[in-house]
Amino acid sequence: KQQKKTLSSRRQLKSHPGWFEAVVVALLDEQNMQVKLLDLPQSIIQVSISCAETRTIDEVIANHEPRCVEWMSITSDSMTNKGRTHFYALSRPLGKHERIDIFVSHSSRDDPYLRWIALEKTVEQFLLNKGRHPTLWIDKFCLRLHDGDPSGALQALSVQIMACDRMLILFGKTYLTSLWCAWELFVIFAFQQERNAMDQVMLVPLLRDTCDTYIAAKQFSVAAATCYSPHDEIRLLKIIDAVGR
C-alpha cells in the first residue's frame, strides 16, 4: 500500500496517464526487469513485461527510419557551413537489414577544418581495410529538423547509435561541453559491457597535444555540459543520474 501511495504521488507522463518515466537497471529474465523511476531514483522496482508483440533490435531501428550519408556526398565546405536544411537531402534512408558503418560524434563548435581532416583520415583507413567508402551518420545530414529545431529528432538518437557499427569521436576543445556528445557516449557505454563499447569507439583527438586530451577527459563533469534546449538538458541529466554518472 505504501509503495502504491508513493507511486501515485509521482509525476506521470502526460501523454500516457498511469505511466511513469523509468530506466532499466537490470534484466532478470525474459519477462522481468528492475527499473528506477526518474523521479524516485533511490528506489528499485521489479516490473513484469506483458507484451503481446515483441520486436527485434532491427525492427526497432527500422521503425525510427534512420538515415545515412555516403562519403562521396560530403565535402569540406559542408562541414564548415552552419546551415542544415538542404544537407538532409544528401542523406538516404537505411536499407533493409543495412547498418551504418560509422556514427560521427562531434561538437559543431570545434574547428571545422580539424574535424574534416580527422574524418577524411578515418575514411581513408576504412577504404584501405574494407575496399569501399563507409556509410556515415552525421547530424547535419541525417537529422530532420522541425522549424529549425533538432530537439525532436535528437530524442531518437539512441536508436541511431544502435544502427551503427562504430562510433568516431572527434575530440576537440568543446566536445565535453556538449551534453548531446556526452549523451552519445553514455548510450554506447551504459547498456553493454565496457569492453564491447571500447571495441566500437574510435577516438581521434583534434588537440595538438594529446596530453591536453587526457587532462580534459579526466576533468570531465557532465554537470558542466549543456545543450540547446533546457528541456532536453533536464531530461538527459535525469536519465544519466538514474543510471549513474
Side-chain angles (χ1 to χ4, degrees):
K1 289 183 178 179
Q2 181 63 36
Q3 187 182 51
K4 288 184 178 179
K5 184 177 180 181
T6 301
L7 287 175
S8 64
S9 67
R10 297 296 95 194
R11 180 165 51 84
Q12 301 181 28
L13 292 174
K14 293 181 180 179
S15 58
H16 294 79
W19 289 60
F20 303 88
E21 287 186 284
V23 174
V24 177
V25 295
L27 291 175
L28 304 179
D29 53 45
E30 293 183 356
Q31 296 293 325
N32 297 281
M33 65 176 70
Q34 290 181 334
V35 302
K36 286 183 180 180
L37 294 178
L38 295 191
D39 282 349
L40 199 65
Q42 66 272 25
S43 298
I44 297 179
I45 301 172
Q46 183 169 326
V47 177
S48 296
I49 304 171
S50 177
C51 184
E53 178 185 4
T54 58
R55 293 188 297 171
T56 65
I57 291 179
D58 287 341
E59 289 170 334
V60 172
I61 291 173
N63 187 56
H64 284 79
E65 300 179 346
R67 299 177 71 86
C68 66
V69 62
E70 303 285 351
W71 170 247
M72 300 306 291
S73 299
I74 305 173
T75 65
S76 58
D77 289 340
S78 64
M79 296 295 285
T80 59
N81 191 326
K82 293 184 178 180
R84 290 186 177 184
T85 305
H86 73 280
F87 290 116
Y88 183 79
L90 298 176
S91 66
R92 63 170 177 81
L94 206 59
K96 188 176 182 180
H97 303 307
E98 181 185 10
R99 291 185 59 79
I100 303 168
D101 293 310
I102 300 174
F103 181 102
V104 181
S105 178
H106 67 112
S107 169
S108 60
R109 289 174 291 177
D110 279 329
D111 188 313
Y113 175 75
L114 294 179
R115 282 184 285 137
W116 171 255
I117 294 299
L119 179 59
E120 192 174 40
K121 288 181 178 179
T122 301
V123 169
E124 288 174 355
Q125 187 60 51
F126 186 97
L127 178 61
L128 286 174
N129 294 338
K130 303 286 187 177
R132 62 175 177 84
H133 290 110
T135 52
L136 305 166
W137 191 97
I138 303 176
D139 51 4
K140 175 180 285 190
F141 298 90
C142 301
L143 283 179
R144 181 189 291 276
L145 303 188
H146 299 279
D147 297 324
D149 182 6
S151 298
L154 284 168
Q155 291 175 5
L157 192 57
S158 302
V159 177
Q160 314 295 332
I161 294 173
M162 288 168 55
C164 301
D165 288 333
R166 305 292 299 276
M167 176 182 284
L168 171 65
I169 298 173
L170 302 180
F171 195 99
K173 289 182 178 180
T174 71
Y175 183 85
L176 292 178
T177 66
S178 167
L179 186 55
W180 280 114
C181 289
W183 174 257
E184 290 163 5
L185 290 176
F186 171 80
V187 168
I188 202 168
F189 278 94
F191 304 110
Q192 63 177 326
Q193 293 184 354
E194 183 176 343
R195 179 183 299 177
N196 294 337
M198 291 297 292
D199 288 341
Q200 285 186 260
V201 169
M202 301 178 288
L203 189 148
V204 178
L206 302 184
L207 305 177
R208 293 181 179 179
D209 189 345
T210 54
C211 290
D212 291 342
T213 301
Y214 173 78
I215 293 172
K218 191 174 182 180
Q219 295 177 343
F220 169 69
S221 171
V222 72
T226 60
C227 62
Y228 175 77
S229 166
H231 173 74
D232 287 341
E233 187 170 321
I234 293 171
R235 181 171 173 267
L236 293 179
L237 288 175
K238 274 190 174 183
I239 297 173
I240 292 172
D241 284 338
V243 175
R245 296 190 182 187

